């Protein structure tokens, strides 16, 4: 969450070219290109089954992929597994949240800083205070078990836990999934706030309206391919996007 | 049966039960984190006890050869990967820990007759020789199969068990051994003698259990182990490698096993294959806890110890039968009351 003044403002954090992912013989992503710069929110919208979650799983190293992934200026080695990528500053908040249900909110957060602890950092309490500033609700629930939290609080905990790793690239998979409209608004407000800290955000969403509102750039992913891409205001004004994802006659 | 016998048998049962409880905890831990049903848990007990016995007779325990062989194998396996990935900085610690230290230990054992050492120092040396075998066995036998099914892991587990039994015969011979007690103190309790060694076993086990509790509740590595057991994907996303969690819990399992072995070495005669039956009784305790609950597993193991002790008095010939039959009603009860959960595939 800290600033990186030594980095150029427009620095490309992640550059993906021709990414292909196959489950056995079935190819789920047929060559996806995607680019994220520092301090940008980039959103990937698209229907269910378009390959959005697959894309994130491949980027974080949970699924084998082919194609070029250039992260922070270095081509990623295909042998790199999740743990190595976490150490390089990538984090994923998965669709299923994947919390440690029988542990307290505080322990979940502490484990978010596990790799930093392992590499000698001892600032997790300070980082946790920063996370509590973003999510005051988590501080109220700090000794409660993660499994007893409401849906919105779980999403907050999943995001807070990811931020404990002080990521350079934060990937969010459907943060609005299954949440009430008021909570969704709150979550998106926080995502927009996070942008100010300089972290690059890759936001995968079905809620196209909300995602395009806070994003700088957007991609539409359909059946494993990018069908449209552009600055999010242009996308939001595109008749094809309006018809397919924003609904007719509704203002955005 | 009069009170005196009752107390004597109870004492015996609690002593053995404490050991089974330690082993049950190790089994639950290993299963929860790595999904390995760790049949060779008992072999660490036997190796711990027999290594200590070898040291006391002034012999160099065969354990050192296994340590050297496994260490070299790990160094070759990991070294090859590090070289291919050009991560040279990690080579020296790898070589020091897996080859250097075992060589140093071997040199030390040959240079200085170990029977000159005081008993506690011999116990420490025995632990240091046995514990590294845990993570090494994990690296060689289980880490390459991390995503295999529980059944495949069980088969490998049995293979490791059979191998360790065979090597145990080679290293320690077919003769049983018993080490001198750590303490000769004896009290009297309601007319029955209370051995200092018994108290030592119970207190040491309790301390180890408390220590483990603090490790899991208070340290970030302990929490990381619990996290891996709860949600493997979630743990990986936090940068907790399954291989690290696996090595860590096999180290703990080996430590618990070796420690138990040293505790019971003065109480019963341990043979190269005694570990299996001891481990299996811990396993009954672990099963009572559903391979998931630590406190229930520990209580179950205590129950096994008491049951074994009283049945050895009433129906000595059937003592093992009675203990292992206990598992049938427990399994029935568990399968009737708990929901069946499909094995999670990754």
């Amino acid at each position: 969450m800290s600033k990186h003044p030594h980095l150029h403002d427009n620095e490309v954090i992640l550059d993906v070219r021709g990414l292909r992912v196959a489950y056995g013989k079935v190819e789920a992503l047929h060559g996806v290109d995607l680019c994220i710069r520092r301090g940008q929110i980039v959103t990937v919208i698209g229907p269910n089954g378009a390959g959005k979650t697959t894309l994130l799983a491949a980027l974080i190293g949970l699924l084998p992929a082919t194609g070029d992934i250039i992260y922070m200026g270095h081509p990623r080695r295909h042998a790199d597994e999740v743990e190595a990528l976490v150490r390089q500053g990538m984090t994923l908040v998965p669709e299923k949240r994947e919390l440690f249900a029988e542990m307290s909110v505080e322990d979940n957060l502490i484990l978010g800083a596990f790799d930093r602890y392992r590499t000698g950092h001892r600032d997790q309490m300070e980082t946790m205070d920063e996370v509590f500033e973003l999510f005051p609700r988590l501080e109220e629930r700090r000794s409660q078990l993660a499994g007893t939290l409401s849906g919105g609080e779980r999403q907050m905990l999943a995001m807070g836990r990811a931020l404990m790793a002080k990521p350079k690239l934060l990937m969010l998979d459907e943060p609005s999934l299954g949440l009430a409209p008021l909570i969704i608004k709150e979550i998106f407000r926080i995502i927009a706030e996070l942008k100010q800290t300089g972290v690059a955000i890759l936001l995968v969403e079905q809620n196209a309206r909300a995602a395009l509102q806070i994003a700088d750039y957007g991609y539409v992913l359909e059946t494993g391919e990018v069908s449209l891409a552009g600055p999010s205001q242009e996308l939001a004004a595109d008749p094809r996007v309006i018809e397919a994802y924003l609904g007719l006659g509704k203002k955005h | 049966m009069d009170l005196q016998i009752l107390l004597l048998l109870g004492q015996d049962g609690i002593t053995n039960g404490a050991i089974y409880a330690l082993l049950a905890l190790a089994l639950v831990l290993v299963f929860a984190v790595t999904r390995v049903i760790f049949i060779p848990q008992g072999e660490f007990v036997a190796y711990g006890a027999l290594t200590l016995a070898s040291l006391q007779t002034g012999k160099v325990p065969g354990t050192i050869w296994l340590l050297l062989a496994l260490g070299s194998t790990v160094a070759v396996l990991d070294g090859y990967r590090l070289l291919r990935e050009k991560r040279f900085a990690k080579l020296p610690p790898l070589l020091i820990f897996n080859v250097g230290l075992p060589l140093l230990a071997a040199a030390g054992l040959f240079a200085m007759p170990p029977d000159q050492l005081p008993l506690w120092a011999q116990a420490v040396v025995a632990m240091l020789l046995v514990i590294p075998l845990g993570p090494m066995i994990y690296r060689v036998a289980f880490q390459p199969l991390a995503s295999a099914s529980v059944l495949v892991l069980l088969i490998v587990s049995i293979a490791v068990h059979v191998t360790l039994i065979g090597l145990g015969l080679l290293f320690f011979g077919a003769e049983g051994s018993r080490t001198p007690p750590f303490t000769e103190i004896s009290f009297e309790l309601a007319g029955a003698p209370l051995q200092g060694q018994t108290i030592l076993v119970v207190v040491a086990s309790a301390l180890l259990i408390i220590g483990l509790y603090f490790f899991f509740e208070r340290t970030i590595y302990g929490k990381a182990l619990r996290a891996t057991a709860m949600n493997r994907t979630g743990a990986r996303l936090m940068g907790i490698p399954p291989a690290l969690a696996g090595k860590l819990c096999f180290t703990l399992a080996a430590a618990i096993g070796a420690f138990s072995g040293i505790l019971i070495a003065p109480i019963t005669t341990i043979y190269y294959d005694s570990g299996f039956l001891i481990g299996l009784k811990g396993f009954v305790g672990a099963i009572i806890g559903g391979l998931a609950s630590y406190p229930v597993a520990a209580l179950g193991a205590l129950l096994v110890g008491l049951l074994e002790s009283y049945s050895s008095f009433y129906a000595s010939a059937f003592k093992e039968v009675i203990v292992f039959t206990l598992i049938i009603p427990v399994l029935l009860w568990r399968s009737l009351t708990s929901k069946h959960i499909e094995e999670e595939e990754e």
Side-chain angles (χ1 to χ4, degrees):
Chain A
M1 279 184 283
S2 60
K3 294 238 174 202
H4 307 281
H6 58 288
L7 298 175
H8 193 268
D9 265 0
N10 277 333
E11 189 205 12
V12 174
I13 297 283
L14 185 72
D15 194 3
V16 178
R17 287 179 212 147
L19 188 78
R20 288 171 184 276
V21 178
Y23 293 99
K25 283 184 180 166
V26 186
E27 201 176 67
L29 289 182
H30 322 294
V32 169
D33 296 348
L34 189 132
C35 178
I36 306 169
R37 290 170 189 281
R38 204 175 91 77
Q40 252 191 345
I41 300 183
V42 171
T43 185
V44 176
I45 57 174
N48 242 339
K52 302 192 297 294
T53 297
T54 304
L55 170 68
L56 291 186
L59 290 180
I60 197 72
L62 283 172
L63 281 177
T66 58
D68 292 323
I69 301 176
I70 295 146
Y71 175 66
M72 309 275 296
H74 298 288
R76 196 178 101 190
R77 293 176 304 184
H78 284 283
D80 271 359
E81 295 196 11
V82 185
E83 297 80 23
L85 297 171
V86 169
R87 181 158 300 177
Q88 293 162 34
M90 265 196 204
T91 55
L92 169 67
V93 178
E95 189 181 339
K96 292 180 187 160
R97 327 300 198 221
E98 310 284 8
L99 297 174
F100 308 121
E102 288 151 62
M103 283 191 195
S104 69
V105 167
E106 191 174 324
D107 282 354
N108 269 272
L109 289 175
I110 290 282
L111 283 170
F114 177 80
D115 193 70
R116 284 181 59 77
Y117 184 89
R118 207 180 154 205
T119 47
H121 298 87
R122 291 294 180 271
D123 54 357
Q124 33 288 324
M125 290 330 260
E126 288 84 9
T127 318
M128 187 151 44
D129 286 338
E130 289 173 39
V131 168
F132 284 151
E133 262 172 51
L134 273 175
F135 303 99
R137 196 88 70 88
L138 292 182
E139 190 164 21
E140 291 164 29
R141 302 264 188 271
R142 67 189 297 168
S143 51
Q144 208 169 310
L145 294 187
T148 65
L149 299 179
S150 73
E153 290 163 348
R154 278 181 210 201
Q155 180 56 38
M156 290 178 189
L157 179 53
M159 285 172 63
R161 190 179 64 169
L163 290 172
M164 289 294 291
K166 300 204 169 192
K168 296 188 177 71
L169 172 64
L170 177 67
M171 300 191 274
L172 302 164
D173 195 357
E174 305 269 4
S176 75
L177 192 77
L179 301 183
L182 262 179
I183 311 275
I184 296 180
K185 228 177 148 182
E186 167 88 5
I187 298 272
F188 275 82
R189 184 185 61 71
I190 293 168
I191 296 172
E193 210 179 305
L194 278 177
K195 184 185 153 177
Q196 309 305 323
T197 65
V199 62
I201 298 172
L202 178 58
L203 170 66
V204 160
E205 260 296 341
Q206 274 197 69
N207 190 335
R209 184 183 305 275
L212 288 174
Q213 250 170 29
I214 59 164
D216 301 293
Y217 202 88
Y219 295 85
V220 180
L221 192 66
E222 283 171 333
T223 57
E225 276 168 305
V226 173
S227 61
L228 276 173
S232 35
Q233 277 145 343
E234 281 174 32
L235 272 188
D238 191 300
R240 287 167 291 183
V241 175
I242 295 175
E243 192 186 343
Y245 303 108
L246 300 177
L248 285 166
K250 283 186 197 163
K251 284 188 183 162
H252 47 272
Chain B
M1 179 195 305
D2 57 21
L3 182 69
Q4 203 173 337
I5 296 176
L6 202 73
L7 281 174
L8 210 61
L9 290 175
Q11 202 187 111
D12 232 37
I14 288 172
T15 316
N16 288 335
I19 297 293
Y20 301 153
L22 286 178
L23 300 178
L25 295 183
L27 286 164
V28 174
L29 170 69
V30 170
F31 182 73
V33 175
T34 63
R35 295 171 309 127
V36 173
I37 297 172
F38 198 45
I39 310 288
Q41 179 65 51
E43 269 62 71
F44 286 95
V45 180
Y47 273 58
L50 293 172
T51 301
L52 178 62
S54 295
L55 289 174
Q56 282 172 350
T57 51
K59 276 185 282 189
V60 172
T63 326
I64 189 71
W65 305 121
L66 183 58
L67 194 64
L68 280 168
L70 274 173
S72 312
T73 314
V74 172
V76 169
L77 287 173
D78 281 345
Y80 174 70
R81 224 193 60 210
L82 288 178
L83 282 178
R84 244 187 31 186
E85 293 175 10
K86 300 195 167 54
R87 287 152 65 191
F88 302 116
K90 293 215 165 180
L91 274 175
L94 174 77
L95 291 175
I96 290 171
F97 278 107
N98 291 296
V99 184
L101 289 182
L103 276 175
L104 206 66
L109 283 175
F110 279 105
M112 189 172 57
D115 52 340
Q116 307 286 311
L117 291 168
L119 182 56
W120 66 266
Q122 288 170 338
V124 170
V125 171
M127 298 264 292
L128 289 180
L129 287 177
V130 176
I131 293 172
L133 297 177
M136 286 172 180
I137 286 172
Y138 174 79
R139 174 61 190 94
V140 173
F142 294 102
Q143 191 179 318
L145 295 166
S147 51
S149 70
V150 170
L151 183 63
V152 171
L153 293 172
L154 175 64
I155 293 167
V156 174
S157 196
I158 293 171
V160 171
H161 156 72
V162 173
T163 311
L164 284 179
I165 292 260
L167 289 173
L169 178 60
L170 182 69
F171 294 154
F172 308 112
E175 300 289 308
S177 305
R178 193 189 273 242
T179 59
F182 286 93
T183 165
E184 301 279 4
I185 306 169
S186 179
F187 304 95
E188 194 152 303
L189 182 75
L194 182 59
Q195 302 291 337
Q197 183 68 25
T198 304
I199 299 171
L200 185 76
V201 169
V202 174
V203 170
S205 307
L207 285 179
L208 184 57
I209 289 173
I210 292 168
L212 286 171
Y213 175 81
F214 274 97
F215 172 71
F216 284 116
E217 290 292 326
R218 295 270 183 274
T219 69
I220 197 161
Y221 279 92
K223 286 171 188 172
L225 274 188
R226 281 167 60 215
T228 305
M230 266 176 228
N231 188 331
R232 199 173 301 264
T233 310
R236 292 196 68 190
L237 289 174
M238 301 301 105
I240 306 168
L244 174 77
K247 266 182 209 155
L248 195 54
C249 81
F250 269 66
T251 308
L252 281 174
I256 292 172
F259 185 72
S260 308
I262 286 164
L263 281 181
I264 54 162
I267 301 174
T268 40
T269 308
I270 298 284
Y271 297 85
Y272 70 98
D273 61 350
S274 299
F276 181 55
L277 216 53
I278 299 171
L280 218 49
K281 283 167 192 160
F283 186 67
V284 175
I287 287 289
I288 293 175
L291 276 177
S293 163
Y294 294 96
V296 180
L299 285 177
L302 266 181
L303 176 73
V304 169
L306 286 169
L307 191 69
E308 177 191 40
S309 164
Y310 287 112
S311 53
S312 66
F313 181 76
Y314 282 112
S316 162
F318 293 102
K319 134 182 146 170
E320 314 290 12
V321 179
I322 292 171
V323 167
F324 291 117
T325 309
L326 176 70
I327 212 169
I328 294 174
V330 168
L331 283 177
L332 260 179
W333 166 68
R334 286 208 81 91
S335 62
L336 290 177
T337 53
S338 65
K339 229 175 26 200
H340 178 69
I341 301 157
E342 291 293 330
E343 188 192 319
E344 198 182 323
E345 292 293 336
E346 272 182 70

